[in-house]
Amino acid sequence: MMLRLRTAREAPATAPPAQLPANVGSATVTPLFLPVRSRAASHQSPRRLVSLRALSFVIVVLLPVVAAGAYYLAIAADQYTAEFRMSLRTVDAPRVEPLLLFGGDTARTTAATESQIVTQFIASRAIVDELDPKLDLRQMFSSPAADWWSRLRLPASIERLVYYWQGQVDPFYDNSTGTIIVRVCAFAPDDALRLAQAIVGSSESLINNLSVRARRDALGYAETEVATAETRLKTALTAIRDFRDQEGLIDPGKAADANTTLTTKLRDDLLKANSELATLKAYMRDDAPAVRVLKARIRSLETQRRTLAREMTADAQPQTSTPAPTLSHELGSYEALDAERKFAEAAYQHALEGLDRARDNADRQHIYVESFVPPSLPQMPLYPRRWRALGTVALIAFATWAIGGLAVQSIREHL
């Protein structure tokens, strides 16, 4: 009996069932006791996420920032900048296009066009070919003072040199002020100054060559026009001389005027003679000597009038197979030749005036290079901008890491 009671007393009591709150549904209840393996997984998952984030932060952010800091703060070589500003001026008045008066664009002057040409020339291979024999650009840009990353690596082809030149020389044309701004970078202050001065000299040579070529072309065109006009005038004068020799008339116009005056006089004499004849017939017979003389005179005047009419016009000539040349025909031919002579003389005069203007323009310079901010010797390096570059690298790296983390988190939540 005692054994049975002890056994019953030592038996563990059954725990009462857990009472759930009245406002909590059975579907949302989280068990208070989890298996040992599940609890270990729940503790390890946040730690694993933290470790992955830290590792990604180190790889994406810290390592690039450290590498950039090591380069910019300890390795990157100093670069000195020489800046100069210049503008082109012309003595001619600006040429305004009529169509541009109705639009919003301003008229482009010759100086503006030349300025853009100079800007493109400074960034082209032409100036590199011109300055390389003088300054040895390959040796200048591969100076031992430069670090490995920023120097020009030798041997360098001309295309590689031009590409590197475009990174070291920055020309800019300000259209609002008409100013050319050029910044030149080098690894030594003297090199930057020499390079800037050489660019100024090459730009001035380019402008002078363009001006000389334009003036030479204008002068050559004017001389060609004068030669053409002179040949045309000589041809017209030769044609008039041949006409005079062939027709036997110096000036058919004056001959026509003289014939017209003579015809008018003959007409007046004929009218006067007919009037006298009518008066004599009133009291004399037809066979009277005075009447016969007057009739003979009238017939002579009519003959002269018809002869002059045949010489002047073709309508007064008798119908024959080979009509004689008339003064009207000769006058028409001469007037055509004389009109050509007058046109040739006017063209020759205009060509001579153009030649005089071209010679005057060739004797004076139209475009001037004004370097109002000349290049000077730099005293401290402006590049590289270390802290700005380092901050840019840090910002880009952090933004990349943050965007990548958000993308990974979004993908994980949707899986």
Side-chain angles (χ1 to χ4, degrees):
M1 185 65 178
M2 292 297 293
L3 181 59
R4 185 179 299 171
L5 291 174
R6 186 177 180 181
T7 305
R9 191 169 47 244
E10 290 179 358
T14 303
Q19 298 294 331
L20 297 176
N23 57 351
V24 179
S26 60
T28 60
V29 175
T30 303
L32 298 177
F33 301 98
L34 296 175
V36 178
R37 184 176 299 175
S38 177
R39 283 184 293 174
S42 64
H43 286 293
Q44 291 177 359
S45 179
R47 294 178 180 176
R48 183 179 180 184
L49 291 177
V50 172
S51 62
L52 289 177
R53 289 178 182 176
L55 181 62
S56 62
F57 182 81
V58 170
I59 295 175
V60 178
V61 179
L62 290 183
L63 288 181
V65 171
V66 170
Y71 172 74
Y72 285 110
L73 299 179
I75 300 176
D78 294 333
Q79 295 192 33
Y80 297 85
T81 303
E83 178 180 327
F84 64 91
R85 302 189 179 195
M86 60 183 179
S87 63
L88 304 183
R89 292 291 181 265
T90 176
V91 297
D92 298 330
R95 181 173 57 88
V96 180
E97 299 292 344
L99 295 179
L100 295 178
L101 296 177
F102 301 96
D105 298 335
T106 57
R108 298 180 63 185
T109 62
T110 304
T113 304
E114 301 293 341
S115 298
Q116 294 181 357
I117 291 176
V118 171
T119 303
Q120 297 179 9
F121 171 73
I122 294 176
S124 66
R125 175 177 172 175
I127 192 171
V128 175
D129 293 335
E130 182 178 348
L131 297 183
D132 188 28
K134 303 176 182 178
L135 301 178
D136 194 1
L137 298 179
R138 291 179 173 83
Q139 184 65 29
M140 179 184 295
F141 292 141
S142 61
S143 172
D147 59 276
W148 181 86
W149 182 263
S150 59
R151 73 162 60 104
L152 176 66
R153 287 178 288 277
L154 299 178
S157 62
I158 185 62
E159 290 79 11
R160 177 64 183 173
L161 180 60
V162 172
Y163 180 78
Y164 189 87
W165 168 275
Q166 294 173 353
Q168 297 295 110
V169 179
D170 181 24
F172 172 74
Y173 173 67
D174 189 355
N175 195 23
S176 60
T177 60
T179 302
I180 302 175
I181 305 171
V182 182
R183 295 183 179 91
V184 180
C185 294
F187 299 103
D190 296 336
D191 292 342
L193 180 60
R194 289 192 301 117
L195 192 57
Q197 292 174 347
I199 292 175
V200 173
S202 297
S203 301
E204 291 179 351
S205 300
L206 174 66
I207 292 300
N208 293 332
N209 292 335
L210 291 177
S211 301
V212 169
R213 185 181 305 172
R215 294 195 296 268
R216 187 186 301 117
D217 293 342
L219 184 60
Y221 177 77
E223 291 176 349
T224 302
E225 288 294 319
V226 169
T228 303
E230 185 178 0
T231 302
R232 180 182 179 183
L233 180 59
K234 289 181 179 179
T235 302
L237 293 177
T238 301
I240 291 178
R241 184 180 64 250
D242 295 340
F243 174 83
R244 287 171 177 173
D245 295 340
Q246 182 178 357
E247 301 297 336
L249 292 174
I250 299 298
D251 191 349
K254 293 182 179 180
D257 293 338
N259 287 349
T260 301
T261 302
L262 183 58
T263 301
T264 302
K265 186 177 182 302
L266 288 175
R267 185 182 297 109
D268 294 340
D269 293 343
L270 184 60
L271 291 176
K272 183 179 179 180
N274 287 328
S275 177
E276 291 177 357
L277 179 61
T279 301
L280 292 177
K281 283 184 178 181
Y283 58 89
M284 288 185 181
R285 294 182 299 176
D286 292 339
D287 56 352
V291 174
R292 286 186 292 179
V293 171
L294 193 55
K295 287 182 177 180
R297 184 167 180 269
I298 291 174
R299 288 194 295 272
S300 176
L301 291 175
E302 289 181 348
T303 302
Q304 292 179 5
R305 185 177 64 83
R306 287 193 294 269
T307 301
L308 287 177
R310 286 195 298 270
E311 291 179 357
M312 294 182 65
T313 61
D315 294 339
Q317 289 187 1
Q319 298 296 329
T320 59
S321 59
T322 57
T326 60
L327 189 60
S328 61
H329 176 74
E330 295 174 350
L331 181 61
S333 300
Y334 179 80
E335 286 178 346
L337 296 176
D338 189 61
E340 175 63 21
R341 178 188 63 82
K342 291 179 180 179
F343 285 134
E345 288 180 352
Y348 183 68
Q349 184 67 26
H350 181 72
L352 287 178
E353 294 175 357
L355 179 60
D356 292 337
R357 288 194 299 269
R359 287 175 177 173
D360 181 66
N361 293 333
D363 294 336
R364 60 189 179 94
Q365 188 174 0
H366 291 266
I367 300 178
Y368 300 88
V369 178
E370 296 181 358
S371 181
F372 57 92
V373 180
S376 57
L377 182 66
Q379 296 183 356
M380 62 177 297
L382 297 181
Y383 297 96
R385 298 178 177 177
R386 307 178 189 278
W387 295 107
R388 177 182 297 183
L390 187 59
T392 302
V393 172
L395 181 61
I396 294 175
F398 183 78
T400 304
W401 176 78
I403 294 173
L406 292 176
V408 171
Q409 185 67 23
S410 176
I411 295 173
R412 179 175 295 175
E413 290 179 356
H414 287 79
L415 290 179

